[in-house]
Amino acid sequence: MSNNWKYDRAKDAIDARIKEVEAVTVVDYKRDTSVTSIPKNKAYRMDAVHLYVDILNLEGMLESTQSEGETCHKRTLRFLNLH
């Protein structure tokens, strides 16, 4: 098998992936649900929050103690909780 990109091979691979998800089953996520081998055509509905932040002074916060450890992590989490 060649590693060179070919239009027909790429199109066939994309078409195969699309075919795998034409019919998707949506089920409620439960605490005991195993997520180790989720089928490509199954989705889980859940209540969740995802938050991404860029803390400009995070390095300084983590270096507020002599060594990075539990104390500076607690301070950093407290700071995030306040904001």
Side-chain angles (χ1 to χ4, degrees):
M1 180 176 194
S2 171
N3 287 331
N4 295 331
W5 184 86
K6 293 197 174 18
Y7 175 85
D8 291 332
R9 188 173 59 214
K11 183 178 180 330
D12 291 344
I14 292 168
D15 290 343
R17 298 298 84 77
I18 290 172
K19 195 169 253 192
E20 289 175 354
V21 294
E22 281 180 346
V24 176
T25 305
V26 180
V27 297
D28 289 327
Y29 178 82
K30 297 187 175 30
R31 291 189 101 159
D32 59 344
T33 301
S34 173
V35 292
T36 56
S37 58
I38 299 173
K40 291 178 179 75
N41 63 345
K42 188 172 193 177
Y44 289 101
R45 181 183 306 112
M46 64 173 56
D47 294 323
V49 174
H50 302 275
L51 177 67
Y52 301 91
V53 294
D54 184 14
I55 304 168
L56 301 177
N57 63 338
L58 180 64
E59 189 175 339
M61 292 168 68
L62 293 175
E63 293 174 349
S64 65
T65 57
Q66 199 162 20
S67 62
E68 184 178 328
E70 186 177 342
T71 302
C72 67
H73 284 241
K74 282 182 179 179
R75 287 180 187 161
T76 303
L77 291 173
R78 244 183 266 127
F79 169 82
L80 290 173
N81 186 46
L82 292 172
H83 292 83

